[in-house]
Amino acid sequence: VRHPQDQHESIHMRPQIRDAVERLGNHKILEVVRLGAADPNIIPLWYGESDLPTPGFICKAAIDGIGAGETFYPPKRGLPSLRSAIAEHLQYLYGKPIGNDRVTVTSGAINAIMLTAQVIINPEDNVVVVTPAWPNPSAAVSVLGGVVRSVDLDIVDDKYQLDTEKLFAATDSRTRAIFVNSPNNPTGWTIGREQQRQILEFCKRRGLWLLADEVYTRLVQHSQAAPSFLEIAEPDDPLIVVGSFSKSYAMTGWRLGWLIAPAKVGAILDNLVDYNVSGVPLFVQRAGLSALLNGEEFVETMKAYCKHGLEIVSGKLEKLRRVQLVSSDCTFYAYFRVEGQQDTLAFAKRCASEFGVGLAPGVAFGPASEGWLRLCCGRSPLMLAEAMMRLERAILG
Ligand SMILES: Cc1ncc(COP(=O)(O)O)c(C=O)c1O
């Protein structure tokens, strides 16, 4: 029997959604995906995801893990063997030892960023983000009630550049962190050593965290890995570096990444991992271990695949007179603009629904990216060639 007061409450009292979450707004790439995803002929270049499948030896390690009964709760911050393999891998890449106690295994880099935000942000604190940037780090800050301050890269001589004076001027007494994603999604911009030093020094002097997202570090053309903040930092510096298996090992769906932080944050992370996901499934961690121990050749394959993809894409875009393509060392994305197409959300929607090619609109990466488009180059050469023909028609038409 319903009490009259219950009826009254069901009309007038609604459980509240937090303001910070309600304000998040639509995911702009999803708006385009929703239009095209059901079309079997669409060529989806909108997400940062290769079409290469995860290599068999990585899958087998996970299957073996399940076969061996690894279906119980995992250690919160990851299998000791995987944590030490990550530390050794980073030492192999950057020549600097990383203590295992600094490594936390996470459910992808996205979870690493959300955990970091949970560690450092009070409501109304701000984080200064170098933009354009993929949307998730800013969203993590916003979800926790923090404020995002964007500092845009500049284009100088057809290349993206960071003005560190501008970056530092954007900080104030409520700033908790500077966020730098390099190699950058979407622009491909890669930070150099000198600017890394300046930013790290600034953060140390001002008591700020430096949050570095380095998930594309292997997908650069001219070196084994892009410059990492890990190469110049001391173990206790206020640096948190986020990495991932997703892009270099074709493991986007496994949700596996890592976070390198000062060892003193370890106990806090242990708690937070527990409260968020209680750790990454053991058999997924086995797959990651196999990727690190046996996957170097595959990383080279992925690099070559993306480089070839970028050549196909840029070969076409550079010939189109109305297109401006910014050059970069990173091979995973092409980032470009089309003269006369300022509203790229509308243009991307038209490309998806009328021309069968799926692009990410610049506005997904911050307001200053309006007018730009991003395309993922880690896809099959045939697909990319066909996509470029379709895109040419969309641009010329
Ligand atoms: C810069 C950057 N960091 C992190 C991620 C997400 O990585 P993960 O799949 O490990 O969560 C992406 C995905 O697009 C990305 O572009």
Side-chain angles (χ1 to χ4, degrees), residues 91-104:
Q91 178 166 2
Y92 156 74
L93 288 181
Y94 304 126
K96 198 153 176 184
I98 306 279
N100 297 2
D101 53 353
R102 293 175 66 198
V103 181
T104 301

Side-chain angles (χ1 to χ4, degrees), residues 9 72-73 78 94 103 105 113 157 167 170 194 201 207 211 237 245 280-281 299 309 311 329 341 353 363 392 397:
E9 282 181 358
F72 294 93
Y73 283 127
Y94 304 126
V103 181
V105 177
I113 287 171
D157 294 335
L167 182 71
E194 189 44 40
E201 280 314 309
L211 175 53
D237 282 351
F245 290 82
V280 174
V299 174
E311 282 160 4
D329 194 33
Q341 297 292 350
S353 56
V363 70
E392 181 177 17

Side-chain angles (χ1 to χ4, degrees), residues 143-213:
V143 165
L144 288 162
V147 176
V148 175
R149 294 187 164 186
S150 300
V151 173
D152 290 324
L153 296 168
D154 303 311
I155 300 178
V156 180
D157 294 335
D158 208 28
K159 285 209 159 109
Y160 274 99
Q161 266 186 24
L162 174 65
D163 179 344
T164 45
E165 289 309 314
K166 206 164 70 172
L167 182 71
F168 301 152
T171 62
D172 66 9
S173 60
R174 291 306 302 263
T175 303
R176 298 300 309 270
I178 292 180
F179 175 84
V180 181
N181 164 220
S182 162
N184 176 261
N185 170 9
T187 65
W189 165 76
T190 303
I191 193 169
R193 175 69 73 233
E194 189 44 40
Q195 290 201 320
Q196 284 184 325
R197 281 191 206 290
Q198 287 172 16
I199 298 173
L200 181 61
E201 280 314 309
F202 181 84
C203 286
K204 281 163 74 172
R205 219 171 40 242
R206 294 282 299 273
L208 306 179
W209 286 100
L210 170 53
L211 175 53
D213 176 338

Side-chain angles (χ1 to χ4, degrees), residues 108-110 134 181 185 213 215-216 244 246-247 255 333:
I110 287 177
W134 68 299
N181 164 220
N185 170 9
D213 176 338
V215 311
Y216 295 104
S244 175
S246 287
K247 316 290 176 172
R255 312 311 307 125
Y333 298 112

Side-chain angles (χ1 to χ4, degrees), residues 82 86 119 158 250 288 352:
L82 180 58
I86 291 169
V119 173
D158 208 28

